[in-house]
Amino acid sequence: MTDYTICIFTENTIGLLNRITIIFTRRRINIESLTVSETERKGVSRFTIVIKHESREEVEKLVRQIRKIVEVMAVFGYLNDEIVYNEIALFKVSTPLGSKPLDVETINKEHKAWVVYWGLDYVVIEKTGNDTEIVDFFTYINQYEILEFVRSGRVAVGKTEKGLVEYLPEAEWAYYL
Amino acid sequence: MEAIASITSDVIETTPSASPAAPTLINGSHALMKALVAEGVDTIFGYPGGAIMPVYDALYDYQEQLNHILVRHEQGAAHAAEGYARVTGRAGVCLVTSGPGATNLVTGIADALIDSTPMVCIVGQVAKKLLGTDAFQEADVMGVTMPITKWNYQITDADEVPEILSKAFYIAQSGRPGPVLIDITKSAQLELMTKPFVYERCRSMVSYRPRRIPKQEQVEAAARLINSAKRPYIFVGHGVQIAKAESELIAFAEKTGIPVATTLLGQSTISTDHPLYVGWLGMHGNYGSNVMTDNADVIIAIGMRFDDRVTGDASKYIKQAKVVHIEIDPSEIDKIIRADAPVVGDAKEALKALLPLVDPNDHTVWRNEFRKYDAIENEAITVPVLTSTEGKIRMGEVIDMLSKKTKGEAILVTDVGQHQMMSSRYYQFRKPNSLVTSGGMGTMGFALPAAFGAQVGAPDRQVVAIIGDGCFQMTLQELGTIVQNKQPVKAIILNNNFLGMVRQWQQLFHERRYSFVELQNPDFITIARGFGMSGQTCDERENLSDALDTMLNHDGPFLLEVIVEKEENVFPMVPAGASVSQIRLK
């Protein structure tokens, strides 16, 4: 199984998420993570969807089916080495009186994670990184009591000179034409 | 596809009132009417109900411009709109209410999507403030139809009507055509627009830009491959007729001397008596046209999508051949069969571009190979069917006789099953755009309403529906629509008291375990008479000719029931999942 990151540039319209995810559902492809936000261009949204798949050919077909949606402007499929990507995770860790104190130096220096909120008997630690780094940190911090753990979907940009959105909407996507 | 050219101006505005300071403002329903008129719509197939009532009220004022046809069930509206769209090339329009009205359209919408049929469905919805409250006749029609429409949109504000309607027609009719659904809340139908009505025809969208003109380098690569071929073979799909590229196809085939086969929906693109025509492809297609796919070295697939009913086992399909794939929908390229020379564009434009680049040729020896298989098929299947003297009438006899009596010039509208395949086998199509059938979805109940819609769209042509006894009972209430609208549709029921194709499969692959396929049928002719339609039953071979004459000469709609052989099978046949070379003659 290979990770594929699919970036979809769309108009910002109601129901589009549903229309896009149907394409995955119909082919029984599980979405590992999904992030949506507006791009630097007003009215243009960017979906970043991570899937695992055995066949590059099938992923290419999937990309073309997504492109077919009327409100979709462009779709790009990437392998991990073709993008710069990150996720963000928040760990709510119990710190009651008398418990083992947090090793903040290790958290900061070794794991590049930061305490972003101090509660009365807990802290919230933010860790950004790829999934391996986040899992490593999870393993480390698990020695304390984790009250809550949440992790975002992947965000990614391609390793090209310009952001892909620069090419919208005039782009002629050689892949399709 | 070119947009409709029946209006004189691209922009229409509401009539200014006496005082320029106070323009006339109209409500969403009237805006909808104006938008439909501006799009050149002349016919609407529909069924009123609570949540679409304001639109129907506005329609009362537009009866001169918009011919509304009241169907008997919304599924009938959808299929009628499909039939209309298939013969005119313009979007069929449906108008129905919310909830069940909309969900009853679903089968027709799905059918239209897979067979690339332009359709604009306008459905009522509960008022905006009631959305999501499980209000009376509220259904999430947007959610339901998302996977089966090319585009859908919910209008909640009267001001949206002109822009959304123009987009709807543009999307439905351009590129690879398809169904579009507009869900309009009752509040949007009733409220006044806040600005004067202005209608601009949509010509392009930022995110949706189908490529009509193919890239020259793709055309050149395709031409090189075609010119190098020793045994080239053209596959014609529905896309050729959608693009109205019949004459370009014939010019291309005649210049290059390449044999032409069609898909089910591609039939009638080229006359069956054209010397280059070698039959139709697929599960029940012709023997030679299927077998010879394994001998071709270059396949030129035009406006077709390598459906599994054409390819059989795709992993064993045309492995020896290079493929030129001309297709307007880029997502079809490499979907099933990898193309060595893809050409993304409209079939007409692609063939026009290709024609000067291909070498004149004459592949007589190669073409003659097909004819050997024709002889085998004729001897094994066709001649025995058409010269039957024993037993009940055979389906092929009926279609063959109909073909001769109509000179192959009728529009044949078929339902789904054995009679559909027999129609394709035995009707000798002479004119383009003469077969309307449910191909991809295989929708039983399609033919009767679709025939009605086709007759409305093509009033000058003879329309004959071929229907099985099972299919007929799915939408027979549309007899009422046909009679009320005085459309001279001729319908033939080929009655074998079976769900024939299912029975055939049970016979061949399930050891004759006929599980729930025998029908106790009603008296169809009495039913037709009950609706006010003339009809008769034909049970004897010697009466068939007279019965067909009576039907064809009848002034007005007519139902002919022909009692046919109970356990007749359709051959040739490629068993499901087999490769096309395993096609069976018996």
Side-chain angles (χ1 to χ4, degrees):
Chain A
M1 292 290 237
T2 308
D3 281 354
Y4 291 91
T5 301
I6 296 166
C7 291
I8 311 169
F9 293 86
T10 73
E11 291 184 42
N12 188 2
T13 52
I14 291 172
L16 194 54
L17 173 65
N18 201 357
R19 214 172 238 289
I20 289 170
T21 55
I22 284 168
I23 307 240
F24 292 79
T25 312
R26 193 172 161 198
R27 287 162 186 76
R28 296 198 60 75
I29 296 172
N30 189 44
I31 291 175
E32 303 290 326
S33 89
L34 185 154
T35 311
V36 191
S37 65
E38 193 170 54
T39 64
E40 64 271 30
R41 185 165 295 202
K42 195 168 167 47
V44 177
S45 293
R46 178 180 185 137
F47 288 65
T48 307
I49 298 178
V50 181
I51 59 167
K52 291 182 187 293
H53 210 287
E54 286 164 351
S55 160
R56 183 188 174 101
E57 196 184 342
E58 292 302 312
V59 175
E60 287 176 6
K61 288 179 190 174
L62 175 84
V63 163
R64 262 172 288 173
Q65 292 296 328
I66 297 168
R67 178 66 188 90
K68 214 167 136 171
I69 298 170
V70 165
E71 291 98 337
V72 167
M73 295 168 174
V75 191
F76 302 89
Y78 299 106
L79 294 166
N80 283 351
D81 60 2
E82 294 169 334
I83 47 172
V84 177
Y85 62 97
N86 255 338
E87 295 168 6
I88 182 167
L90 296 178
F91 297 80
K92 185 169 158 188
V93 178
S94 175
T95 54
L97 279 174
S99 64
K100 181 181 169 187
L102 284 178
D103 181 356
V104 175
E105 191 173 345
T106 302
I107 289 171
N108 289 165
K109 289 191 174 166
E110 287 190 20
H111 291 283
K112 304 283 186 289
W114 317 102
V115 175
V116 291
Y117 184 80
W118 295 89
L120 277 178
D121 54 0
Y122 66 92
V123 295
V124 178
I125 305 171
E126 172 197 293
K127 164 68 188 158
T128 58
N130 62 37
D131 48 356
T132 311
E133 290 165 338
I134 288 173
V135 168
D136 284 350
F137 184 66
F138 185 98
T139 309
Y140 166 76
I141 206 72
N142 207 19
Q143 61 186 292
Y144 305 97
E145 188 187 358
I146 299 173
L147 298 172
E148 278 188 66
F149 163 64
V150 62
R151 182 172 154 181
S152 74
R154 175 180 287 190
V155 290
V157 289
K159 289 179 181 171
T160 50
E161 275 184 37
K162 289 160 84 178
L164 293 167
V165 75
E166 292 293 322
Y167 298 109
L168 300 173
E170 306 81 7
E172 289 282 337
W173 297 284
Y175 183 84
Y176 304 103
L177 304 175
Chain B
M1 184 183 301
E2 288 301 321
I4 311 161
S6 57
I7 62 165
T8 51
S9 166
D10 268 349
V11 180
I12 65 167
E13 298 187 26
T14 43
T15 312
S17 67
S19 161
T24 308
L25 297 175
I26 58 174
N27 70 13
S29 299
H30 278 87
L32 195 60
M33 294 297 109
K34 282 181 175 291
L36 293 175
V37 170
E39 282 294 341
V41 172
D42 53 23
T43 304
I44 300 170
F45 302 93
Y47 205 104
I52 198 71
M53 209 92 83
V55 171
Y56 270 87
D57 186 62
L59 188 59
Y60 197 77
D61 296 331
Y62 280 81
Q63 293 178 64
E64 295 294 314
Q65 294 116 301
L66 297 167
N67 174 32
H68 178 274
I69 289 164
L70 176 66
V71 294
R72 298 299 184 266
H73 184 282
E74 288 87 353
Q75 185 182 352
H79 294 323
E82 284 187 273
Y84 175 92
R86 292 272 285 271
V87 301
T88 62
R90 297 181 295 172
V93 178
C94 300
L95 181 64
V96 301
T97 192
S98 65
T103 56
N104 283 344
L105 284 180
V106 163
T107 303
I109 296 172
D111 193 277
L113 183 73
I114 201 158
D115 283 348
S116 308
T117 305
M119 186 151 84
V120 173
C121 301
I122 298 160
V123 308
Q125 183 54 279
V126 300
K128 187 177 179 181
K129 67 177 181 186
L130 293 174
L131 285 172
T133 65
D134 300 329
F136 177 66
Q137 291 193 330
E138 184 192 7
D140 177 13
V141 173
M142 293 295 288
V144 168
T145 60
M146 228 167 236
I148 54 165
T149 48
K150 190 173 171 187
W151 188 64
N152 66 2
Y153 191 90
Q154 184 173 62
I155 295 177
T156 55
D157 181 341
D159 285 339
E160 294 178 289
V161 170
E163 184 191 341
I164 296 305
L165 261 289
S166 65
K167 274 188 180 175
F169 279 90
Y170 173 65
I171 292 167
Q173 297 177 141
S174 60
R176 180 178 179 179
V180 165
L181 183 135
I182 303 300
D183 193 35
I184 178 164
T185 58
K186 195 166 183 180
S187 45
Q189 297 167 38
L190 287 166
E191 74 187 14
L192 290 179
M193 295 178 71
T194 60
K195 50 195 177 189
F197 178 91
V198 177
Y199 196 82
E200 286 184 59
R201 295 280 286 280
C202 181
R203 300 282 186 209
S204 67
M205 289 169 64
V206 169
S207 57
Y208 170 69
R209 296 176 305 147
R211 172 173 277 281
R212 290 190 68 238
I213 312 291
K215 285 194 162 180
Q216 187 61 21
E217 57 263 35
Q218 291 191 336
V219 176
E220 286 169 6
R224 279 196 296 277
L225 202 50
I226 293 164
N227 290 336
S228 71
K230 298 282 183 284
R231 296 180 306 282
Y233 191 5
I234 297 171
F235 290 179
V236 169
H238 188 198
V240 175
Q241 289 183 81
I242 292 172
K244 296 184 171 52
E246 293 91 346
S247 55
E248 286 79 4
L249 170 81
I250 289 166
F252 173 75
E254 287 178 348
K255 182 177 179 185
T256 55
I258 303 176
V260 178
T262 66
T263 64
L264 175 69
L265 262 61
Q267 285 182 99
S268 85
T269 307
I270 179 168
S271 174
T272 51
D273 65 352
H274 193 286
L276 291 171
Y277 179 70
V278 294
W280 60 294
L281 299 158
M283 183 173 271
H284 291 292
N286 292 110
Y287 191 47
S289 55
N290 274 307
V291 170
M292 293 299 279
T293 57
D294 282 349
N295 295 0
D297 63 349
V298 171
I299 289 194
I300 305 134
I302 313 172
M304 58 88 76
R305 59 188 176 85
F306 294 105
D307 175 65
D308 59 278
R309 283 297 194 259
V310 163
T311 64
D313 181 354
S315 68
K316 297 177 185 151
Y317 190 66
I318 54 172
K319 290 296 172 197
Q320 82 292 348
K322 300 274 188 195
V323 175
V324 174
H325 195 174
I326 300 171
E327 170 60 52
I328 197 160
D329 179 354
S331 68
E332 291 298 343
I333 305 283
D334 293 345
K335 190 181 86 175
I336 307 291
I337 300 296
R338 187 162 281 282
D340 300 279
V343 179
V344 177
D346 174 85
K348 191 182 188 85
E349 298 298 334
L351 286 167
K352 276 197 315 207
L354 212 45
L355 192 60
L357 302 180
V358 289
D359 299 334
N361 215 323
D362 184 326
H363 291 284
T364 310
V365 176
W366 158 238
R367 287 205 319 260
N368 286 342
E369 287 184 44
F370 286 82
R371 302 306 174 199
K372 295 176 205 162
Y373 290 95
D374 290 350
I376 294 169
E377 184 178 339
N378 270 331
E379 188 185 342
I381 300 169
T382 313
V383 172
V385 166
L386 299 185
T387 56
S388 301
T389 52
E390 301 290 317
K392 291 285 184 190
I393 301 169
R394 312 279 292 266
M395 285 183 257
E397 291 179 79
V398 183
I399 305 298
D400 178 66
M401 198 176 281
L402 177 73
S403 181
K404 288 174 178 143
K405 286 183 187 295
T406 56
K407 300 185 177 65
E409 293 180 351
I411 294 176
L412 219 58
V413 184
T414 79
D415 233 303
V416 172
Q418 287 186 317
H419 62 278
Q420 177 189 32
M421 296 300 135
M422 292 296 193
S423 298
S424 291
R425 275 191 59 72
Y426 291 99
Y427 199 83
Q428 304 299 316
F429 295 99
R430 294 286 182 266
K431 289 176 83 168
N433 219 356
S434 295
L435 177 66
V436 177
T437 191
S438 170
M441 188 59 59
T443 304
M444 289 176 69
F446 172 85
L448 190 67
F452 170 71
Q455 187 73 79
V456 172
D460 298 332
R461 291 190 66 185
Q462 173 101 64
V463 174
V464 183
I466 310 292
I467 312 176
D469 47 312
C471 293
F472 187 70
Q473 292 177 74
M474 288 202 173
T475 50
L476 64 79
Q477 70 279 6
E478 300 307 332
L479 289 172
T481 311
I482 293 170
V483 171
Q484 184 172 356
N485 289 277
K486 300 182 177 61
Q487 292 293 330
V489 173
K490 316 299 182 197
I492 301 175
I493 300 177
L494 298 179
N495 184 358
N496 56 12
N497 281 94
F498 266 129
L499 302 177
M501 190 59 95
V502 184
R503 187 210 55 73
Q504 176 171 338
W505 282 50
Q506 289 175 342
Q507 178 188 339
L508 298 176
F509 310 118
H510 296 275
E511 300 164 334
R512 278 186 188 267
R513 286 154 57 88
Y514 289 170
S515 182
F516 301 99
V517 285
E518 187 152 22
L519 292 162
Q520 181 183 327
N521 284 329
D523 180 342
F524 294 124
I525 303 306
T526 299
I527 288 175
R529 290 200 179 116
F531 278 102
M533 186 188 285
S534 302
Q536 74 173 68
T537 299
C538 174
D539 196 7
E540 300 294 335
R541 182 168 279 113
E542 54 268 30
N543 298 335
L544 180 60
S545 178
D546 286 347
L548 284 170
D549 285 338
T550 304
M551 178 191 80
L552 292 169
N553 294 330
H554 183 79
D555 184 18
F558 193 91
L559 180 69
L560 174 64
E561 177 191 25
V562 182
I563 310 299
V564 296
E565 191 66 49
K566 267 184 89 71
E567 297 192 40
E568 188 181 6
N569 288 336
V570 190
F571 284 109
M573 178 179 191
V574 181
S579 72
V580 289
S581 59
Q582 292 170 292
I583 187 166
R584 295 167 54 163
L585 285 168
K586 58 183 180 179

